[in-house]
Amino acid sequence: MAAGIDDIAIYIPRLYIDAADFADNRGLDPVKLQKGLGVSQMAIVDSNQDPACLAANACLRIMQKNKLSPDDIGRLYVSTESAFDESKAMNSYVIGMLEQVYGQGAFEHCGGVETKFACVSGSYALYDNANWIRADEADGKAALVVVSDIAKYDMGSSGEMTQGAGAVVMLLNDDPRLLAFDPKVTSTSIKDEYDFYRPFGKETPIVHGQYSNLLYMIQVRKALEAYKRKVVSSGLIKMEAGETILDHMDYINMHLPYSNMGKKALAYLVRHEWRQLPRWKNILKEIGMDEPIPKDPRGTIESVLGDEEFMAKDHEFTKLFTKTQAYQEVYESKLSSSLIASTMIGNLYTASLYLGFRSSLEFEYQKGIDLEGKRVGFGSYGSGSSAMVFSGVVQPAYKEMVKDMNLEAEIGDRKRLTWDEYEELHENKLSPEESMVHSKKEFVLVHVNTEKESRGERRYIFNE
Ligand code: HMG
């Protein structure tokens, strides 16, 4: 039985901090954000928003757009790393909000959990729900997988340049109009790591930035190796001599903590894949230097990062490699459209990969390219750490879904925050009633209880 993404909807908070204002106030060169990281604007949540109401707003959009009733939905999973409760799952809050619109008890038989594994948990949730459909357990119903996060880092930290917030929801069923997942090829890698983590009670993560960049690429490459073995052994793809698996992916969507990380990761994967092929000779000729090797080629990530001479040479080599015509073609045709939304919105943790997918659909369609039958590869990464690589094929009905996609319209009017407003929001100085946007037809947080017996209870309303 087929399973895949039938439709996709987003909810992005309408406040943002502009990269130029950010750089100005942090004494940075704005070009570092805009060109170095690929960050132009970062979405910031209002004082009456949390990840649960971002998720509920995205769900309401997809349900209303597709005229779905709660009876059509058999499962609702929320994947997040911005949880605010150690026990109560975020899907329960989302169902509570949706029932304010659809009636109490309307989702009584809609199963689901909150899933956690940093940014990769949404991909695990998609995989599990696709398998629920493939196993014929769905009884004709669809699943909603919502990925929702607030990427928030300490004031003044280097992570602060890579913030963002928002939710993406995907409707999964057995006759998907957008993308059917390739069966039996989803592959993972996993390792106990501390590149990025958020201990209990801490609102912001502890991050080892450069370590996390390298680990992301290594883990995705390992998952890609496993994916390669599976596509060949399952007969999904027949690889000819001189080809790489990436030649068989028309589009590649990467996890995007900032948009340039997608570029970095793609360059890393392509380099790794091409190194073994006849075409590599020509690439080296065009670059004009040999590929550098670390002093200790089988050493740890720390030893590689500590090898300053290698790091500098490798940086130079990567820059030259990304300028080669062969790489530019791969980048432009397979990745570039997926980065546009990330540049405008920032990191959405679990939702970043899927915002990228949505961005790729919209902007490739605008180029007039026919996407039907094209294979889309996904490189998902979550710190801590695990990667997942999987793929799917764009379905004939995609045009009907994609023709009306309009990122700017879906985000709505945005308010550019002043630095004082940004600091007040970041430091949680405003109460929900002091929100900056007076939103209509949206769920908002109105109260978090502080009394001993009901501490942490949250109340939401639907703003008519
Ligand atoms: P940094 O170390 O301050 O930045 O912070 P940098 O020195 O690496 O510079 C960034 C880029 O800007 C570089 O480009 C510089 O050359 C360039 P590259 O060499 O890499 O191509 N640059 C400039 N360009 C033009 N003009 C200038 C200029 N100055 C520098 N004047 C870092 C960067 C990402 C480390 C930091 O922001 C951070 O720690 N962010 C949070 C962690 C993160 O996003 N890690 C990504 C991988 S891990 C991941 O994706 C998982 C995650 O999403 C969490 C999860 O799984 O839940 C984070």
Side-chain angles (χ1 to χ4, degrees):
M1 184 179 282
I5 303 175
D6 186 67
D7 198 8
I8 187 165
I10 60 173
Y11 178 85
I12 306 297
R14 298 215 305 273
L15 302 175
Y16 72 95
I17 182 86
D18 195 87
D21 300 339
F22 184 92
D24 195 26
N25 284 281
R26 285 276 173 252
L28 296 168
D29 180 352
V31 187
K32 173 169 181 177
L33 279 85
Q34 294 153 347
K35 294 265 185 291
L37 294 164
V39 173
S40 296
Q41 288 122 14
M42 294 181 269
I44 303 288
V45 280
D46 209 336
S47 62
N48 61 353
Q49 293 184 308
D50 66 12
C53 62
L54 305 184
N57 284 321
C59 287
L60 186 63
R61 283 187 178 177
I62 207 162
M63 290 195 60
Q64 289 180 335
K65 179 179 164 219
N66 290 282
K67 300 194 174 47
L68 294 169
S69 87
D71 277 346
D72 299 319
I73 310 297
R75 278 181 157 206
L76 193 158
Y77 271 48
V78 180
S79 302
T80 186
E81 57 179 294
S82 316
F84 40 72
D85 194 284
E86 313 293 2
S87 165
K88 188 172 154 62
M90 202 176 284
N91 56 314
S92 67
Y93 299 84
V94 172
I95 279 176
M97 281 181 254
L98 292 174
E99 287 191 348
Q100 290 186 32
V101 173
Y102 290 98
Q104 215 173 357
F107 286 84
E108 199 164 31
H109 299 292
C110 179
V113 290
E114 174 188 310
T115 68
K116 173 172 74 183
F117 201 137
C119 304
V120 74
S121 66
S123 305
Y124 279 95
L126 272 187
Y127 181 54
D128 291 353
N129 280 285
N131 287 335
W132 171 71
I133 292 164
R134 287 178 180 134
D136 208 5
E137 289 275 337
D139 204 15
K141 293 181 191 250
L144 287 177
V145 173
V146 203
V147 277
S148 180
D149 267 309
I150 298 171
K152 180 171 178 177
Y153 293 84
D154 285 336
M155 286 282 214
S157 67
S158 65
E160 199 192 5
M161 299 174 283
T162 58
Q163 300 183 113
V168 175
V169 59
M170 284 158 288
L171 180 68
L172 303 191
N173 65 22
D174 61 3
D175 187 18
R177 289 169 290 176
L178 278 180
L179 186 94
F181 293 129
D182 289 326
K184 300 188 177 170
V185 293
T186 296
S187 301
T188 56
S189 67
I190 191 161
K191 189 160 184 266
D192 179 11
E193 285 280 2
Y194 279 99
D195 56 325
F196 167 112
Y197 61 104
R198 186 166 71 86
F200 280 153
K202 194 169 179 317
E203 196 195 14
T204 49
I206 296 171
V207 193
H208 305 293
Q210 298 302 342
Y211 188 95
S212 72
N213 281 345
L214 186 52
L215 185 63
Y216 164 136
M217 298 189 284
I218 292 171
Q219 290 292 67
V220 175
R221 179 172 62 69
K222 287 185 175 168
L224 183 69
E225 292 295 338
Y227 171 88
K228 250 193 308 194
R229 287 191 291 275
K230 283 192 182 183
V231 290
V232 172
S233 67
S234 68
L236 181 77
I237 291 171
K238 206 168 152 338
M239 303 257 289
E240 304 292 342
E243 282 185 344
T244 92
I245 189 65
L246 302 178
D247 299 333
H248 291 268
M249 290 176 176
D250 301 295
Y251 290 98
I252 300 173
N253 288 292
M254 302 299 303
H255 167 52
L256 301 174
Y258 48 94
S259 78
N260 281 4
M261 185 68 217
K263 283 187 194 169
K264 255 187 201 304
L266 182 70
Y268 182 88
L269 295 179
V270 173
R271 254 173 85 175
H272 181 74
E273 288 294 312
W274 286 5
R275 199 175 283 138
Q276 322 299 335
L277 303 182
R279 64 183 94 159
W280 192 238
K281 269 201 192 114
N282 293 338
I283 299 282
L284 289 183
K285 216 195 256 166
E286 191 179 338
I287 292 176
M289 75 186 266
D290 282 339
E291 193 172 18
I293 300 169
K295 281 192 194 93
D296 179 2
R298 302 200 65 79
T300 58
I301 297 181
E302 284 95 338
S303 77
V304 172
L305 290 173
D307 186 343
E308 284 176 23
E309 195 186 331
F310 165 75
M311 288 304 288
K313 278 208 178 114
D314 194 64
H315 190 258
E316 187 189 347
F317 184 89
T318 305
K319 289 274 164 229
L320 293 170
F321 173 66
T322 55
K323 290 197 175 98
T324 60
Q325 200 190 336
Y327 176 77
Q328 274 297 316
E329 275 167 21
V330 172
Y331 165 72
E332 280 302 332
S333 63
K334 296 181 198 266
L335 182 81
S336 61
S337 290
S338 71
L339 307 182
I340 296 170
S342 167
T343 308
M344 295 159 60
I345 296 166
N347 194 359
L348 311 185
Y349 289 157
T350 50
S352 294
L353 175 64
Y354 300 101
L355 182 69
F357 171 52
R358 155 68 210 257
S359 177
S360 170
L361 288 173
E362 179 175 337
F363 295 107
E364 285 298 294
Y365 178 79
Q366 280 182 15
K367 284 184 196 164
I369 294 175
D370 186 1
L371 304 179
E372 185 178 332
K374 298 271 195 260
R375 172 156 287 116
V376 183
F378 293 84
S380 189
Y381 176 70
S383 288
S385 75
S386 177
M388 182 184 276
V389 170
F390 58 101
S391 56
V393 173
V394 178
Q395 297 300 292
Y398 87 92
K399 278 198 192 87
E400 278 313 296
M401 317 301 294
V402 174
K403 71 177 173 27
D404 298 325
M405 282 185 179
N406 182 331
L407 189 64
E408 278 187 25
E410 227 171 305
I411 299 174
D413 292 338
R414 298 172 96 188
K415 174 177 157 52
R416 181 174 178 161
L417 291 168
T418 65
W419 189 252
D420 287 347
E421 288 169 336
Y422 164 71
E423 283 193 327
E424 278 186 309
L425 283 167
H426 192 286
E427 296 306 287
N428 302 324
K429 291 203 175 124
L430 303 179
S431 62
E433 58 273 17
E434 292 169 297
S435 70
M436 295 188 191
V437 177
H438 300 287
S439 48
K440 290 267 177 277
K441 305 270 178 218
E442 282 184 11
F443 297 108
V444 289
L445 175 71
V446 283
H447 186 62
V448 184
N449 209 314
T450 50
E451 286 160 27
K452 196 170 173 224
E453 288 309 311
S454 42
R455 190 178 143 204
E457 275 188 23
R458 287 175 181 242
R459 208 161 69 75
Y460 301 91
I461 57 161
F462 184 65
N463 260 344
E464 285 298 346

PDB file of all heavy atoms in Angstrom, residues 108-124:
ATOM      1  N   GLU A 108     -11.858  12.332  20.019  1.00  0.00           N
ATOM      2  CA  GLU A 108     -11.751  11.337  21.089  1.00  0.00           C
ATOM      3  C   GLU A 108     -10.955  10.092  20.686  1.00  0.00           C
ATOM      4  O   GLU A 108     -10.259   9.488  21.491  1.00  0.00           O
ATOM      5  CB  GLU A 108     -13.163  10.923  21.492  1.00  0.00           C
ATOM      6  CG  GLU A 108     -13.219  10.280  22.838  1.00  0.00           C
ATOM      7  CD  GLU A 108     -14.653  10.241  23.357  1.00  0.00           C
ATOM      8  OE1 GLU A 108     -15.588  10.137  22.539  1.00  0.00           O
ATOM      9  OE2 GLU A 108     -14.821  10.324  24.580  1.00  0.00           O
ATOM     10  N   HIS A 109     -11.041   9.700  19.425  1.00  0.00           N
ATOM     11  CA  HIS A 109     -10.371   8.455  19.015  1.00  0.00           C
ATOM     12  C   HIS A 109      -9.139   8.707  18.141  1.00  0.00           C
ATOM     13  O   HIS A 109      -8.697   7.824  17.415  1.00  0.00           O
ATOM     14  CB  HIS A 109     -11.370   7.549  18.290  1.00  0.00           C
ATOM     15  CG  HIS A 109     -12.512   7.186  19.183  1.00  0.00           C
ATOM     16  ND1 HIS A 109     -12.350   6.368  20.292  1.00  0.00           N
ATOM     17  CD2 HIS A 109     -13.800   7.570  19.187  1.00  0.00           C
ATOM     18  CE1 HIS A 109     -13.501   6.265  20.924  1.00  0.00           C
ATOM     19  NE2 HIS A 109     -14.397   6.991  20.280  1.00  0.00           N
ATOM     20  N   CYS A 110      -8.642   9.921  18.233  1.00  0.00           N
ATOM     21  CA  CYS A 110      -7.455  10.263  17.442  1.00  0.00           C
ATOM     22  C   CYS A 110      -6.213   9.995  18.294  1.00  0.00           C
ATOM     23  O   CYS A 110      -5.874  10.770  19.185  1.00  0.00           O
ATOM     24  CB  CYS A 110      -7.548  11.735  17.038  1.00  0.00           C
ATOM     25  SG  CYS A 110      -6.143  12.264  16.088  1.00  0.00           S
ATOM     26  N   GLY A 111      -5.527   8.890  18.022  1.00  0.00           N
ATOM     27  CA  GLY A 111      -4.370   8.520  18.835  1.00  0.00           C
ATOM     28  C   GLY A 111      -3.162   9.362  18.495  1.00  0.00           C
ATOM     29  O   GLY A 111      -3.125  10.036  17.468  1.00  0.00           O
ATOM     30  N   GLY A 112      -2.165   9.296  19.364  1.00  0.00           N
ATOM     31  CA  GLY A 112      -0.931  10.006  19.037  1.00  0.00           C
ATOM     32  C   GLY A 112      -0.086  10.270  20.255  1.00  0.00           C
ATOM     33  O   GLY A 112      -0.521  10.084  21.391  1.00  0.00           O
ATOM     34  N   VAL A 113       1.135  10.669  20.011  1.00  0.00           N
ATOM     35  CA  VAL A 113       2.074  11.019  21.079  1.00  0.00           C
ATOM     36  C   VAL A 113       2.895  12.219  20.631  1.00  0.00           C
ATOM     37  O   VAL A 113       2.846  12.627  19.473  1.00  0.00           O
ATOM     38  CB  VAL A 113       3.052   9.848  21.389  1.00  0.00           C
ATOM     39  CG1 VAL A 113       2.357   8.691  22.056  1.00  0.00           C
ATOM     40  CG2 VAL A 113       3.786   9.387  20.129  1.00  0.00           C
ATOM     41  N   GLU A 114       3.664  12.733  21.589  1.00  0.00           N
ATOM     42  CA  GLU A 114       4.686  13.722  21.254  1.00  0.00           C
ATOM     43  C   GLU A 114       5.994  12.950  21.060  1.00  0.00           C
ATOM     44  O   GLU A 114       6.293  12.056  21.852  1.00  0.00           O
ATOM     45  CB  GLU A 114       4.815  14.692  22.432  1.00  0.00           C
ATOM     46  CG  GLU A 114       5.929  15.688  22.314  1.00  0.00           C
ATOM     47  CD  GLU A 114       6.096  16.477  23.620  1.00  0.00           C
ATOM     48  OE1 GLU A 114       5.113  17.005  24.167  1.00  0.00           O
ATOM     49  OE2 GLU A 114       7.250  16.543  24.096  1.00  0.00           O
ATOM     50  N   THR A 115       6.742  13.250  20.028  1.00  0.00           N
ATOM     51  CA  THR A 115       8.008  12.540  19.835  1.00  0.00           C
ATOM     52  C   THR A 115       9.181  13.503  20.018  1.00  0.00           C
ATOM     53  O   THR A 115       9.071  14.697  19.724  1.00  0.00           O
ATOM     54  CB  THR A 115       8.119  11.894  18.440  1.00  0.00           C
ATOM     55  OG1 THR A 115       8.224  12.922  17.451  1.00  0.00           O
ATOM     56  CG2 THR A 115       6.932  11.009  18.125  1.00  0.00           C
ATOM     57  N   LYS A 116      10.284  12.957  20.521  1.00  0.00           N
ATOM     58  CA  LYS A 116      11.467  13.803  20.775  1.00  0.00           C
ATOM     59  C   LYS A 116      12.741  13.126  20.293  1.00  0.00           C
ATOM     60  O   LYS A 116      13.014  11.979  20.651  1.00  0.00           O
ATOM     61  CB  LYS A 116      11.591  14.084  22.271  1.00  0.00           C
ATOM     62  CG  LYS A 116      12.876  14.813  22.646  1.00  0.00           C
ATOM     63  CD  LYS A 116      12.915  15.253  24.078  1.00  0.00           C
ATOM     64  CE  LYS A 116      13.149  14.075  25.004  1.00  0.00           C
ATOM     65  NZ  LYS A 116      13.124  14.470  26.400  1.00  0.00           N
ATOM     66  N   PHE A 117      13.490  13.770  19.472  1.00  0.00           N
ATOM     67  CA  PHE A 117      14.901  13.486  19.197  1.00  0.00           C
ATOM     68  C   PHE A 117      15.425  14.695  18.436  1.00  0.00           C
ATOM     69  O   PHE A 117      15.645  14.650  17.226  1.00  0.00           O
ATOM     70  CB  PHE A 117      15.105  12.199  18.393  1.00  0.00           C
ATOM     71  CG  PHE A 117      16.504  11.648  18.540  1.00  0.00           C
ATOM     72  CD1 PHE A 117      16.721  10.300  18.729  1.00  0.00           C
ATOM     73  CD2 PHE A 117      17.607  12.495  18.511  1.00  0.00           C
ATOM     74  CE1 PHE A 117      18.012   9.810  18.895  1.00  0.00           C
ATOM     75  CE2 PHE A 117      18.893  12.016  18.674  1.00  0.00           C
ATOM     76  CZ  PHE A 117      19.097  10.658  18.864  1.00  0.00           C
ATOM     77  N   ALA A 118      15.570  15.799  19.181  1.00  0.00           N
ATOM     78  CA  ALA A 118      16.015  17.064  18.578  1.00  0.00           C
ATOM     79  C   ALA A 118      15.301  17.265  17.233  1.00  0.00           C
ATOM     80  O   ALA A 118      14.098  17.011  17.139  1.00  0.00           O
ATOM     81  CB  ALA A 118      17.527  17.105  18.472  1.00  0.00           C
ATOM     82  N   CYS A 119      16.039  17.670  16.201  1.00  0.00           N
ATOM     83  CA  CYS A 119      15.356  18.039  14.958  1.00  0.00           C
ATOM     84  C   CYS A 119      14.915  16.853  14.110  1.00  0.00           C
ATOM     85  O   CYS A 119      14.220  17.044  13.116  1.00  0.00           O
ATOM     86  CB  CYS A 119      16.257  18.920  14.102  1.00  0.00           C
ATOM     87  SG  CYS A 119      16.805  20.374  14.942  1.00  0.00           S
ATOM     88  N   VAL A 120      15.339  15.635  14.466  1.00  0.00           N
ATOM     89  CA  VAL A 120      15.033  14.507  13.568  1.00  0.00           C
ATOM     90  C   VAL A 120      13.718  13.805  13.945  1.00  0.00           C
ATOM     91  O   VAL A 120      13.216  12.964  13.200  1.00  0.00           O
ATOM     92  CB  VAL A 120      16.214  13.496  13.558  1.00  0.00           C
ATOM     93  CG1 VAL A 120      16.270  12.685  14.836  1.00  0.00           C
ATOM     94  CG2 VAL A 120      16.156  12.561  12.360  1.00  0.00           C
ATOM     95  N   SER A 121      13.128  14.179  15.085  1.00  0.00           N
ATOM     96  CA  SER A 121      11.991  13.375  15.576  1.00  0.00           C
ATOM     97  C   SER A 121      10.785  13.420  14.638  1.00  0.00           C
ATOM     98  O   SER A 121      10.021  12.458  14.556  1.00  0.00           O
ATOM     99  CB  SER A 121      11.584  13.810  16.977  1.00  0.00           C
ATOM    100  OG  SER A 121      11.080  15.122  16.939  1.00  0.00           O
ATOM    101  N   GLY A 122      10.625  14.525  13.916  1.00  0.00           N
ATOM    102  CA  GLY A 122       9.498  14.611  12.977  1.00  0.00           C
ATOM    103  C   GLY A 122       9.631  13.578  11.874  1.00  0.00           C
ATOM    104  O   GLY A 122       8.633  13.042  11.371  1.00  0.00           O
ATOM    105  N   SER A 123      10.873  13.283  11.493  1.00  0.00           N
ATOM    106  CA  SER A 123      11.095  12.302  10.428  1.00  0.00           C
ATOM    107  C   SER A 123      10.763  10.903  10.935  1.00  0.00           C
ATOM    108  O   SER A 123      10.186  10.087  10.210  1.00  0.00           O
ATOM    109  CB  SER A 123      12.542  12.383   9.939  1.00  0.00           C
ATOM    110  OG  SER A 123      12.808  13.711   9.550  1.00  0.00           O
ATOM    111  N   TYR A 124      11.122  10.633  12.194  1.00  0.00           N
ATOM    112  CA  TYR A 124      10.723   9.341  12.782  1.00  0.00           C
ATOM    113  C   TYR A 124       9.192   9.253  12.856  1.00  0.00           C
ATOM    114  O   TYR A 124       8.616   8.197  12.613  1.00  0.00           O
ATOM    115  CB  TYR A 124      11.331   9.175  14.177  1.00  0.00           C
ATOM    116  CG  TYR A 124      12.779   8.707  14.170  1.00  0.00           C
ATOM    117  CD1 TYR A 124      13.833   9.617  14.252  1.00  0.00           C
ATOM    118  CD2 TYR A 124      13.094   7.360  14.067  1.00  0.00           C
ATOM    119  CE1 TYR A 124      15.158   9.189  14.240  1.00  0.00           C
ATOM    120  CE2 TYR A 124      14.414   6.921  14.056  1.00  0.00           C
ATOM    121  CZ  TYR A 124      15.447   7.843  14.139  1.00  0.00           C
ATOM    122  OH  TYR A 124      16.754   7.403  14.120  1.00  0.00           O
TER     123      TYR A 124
END
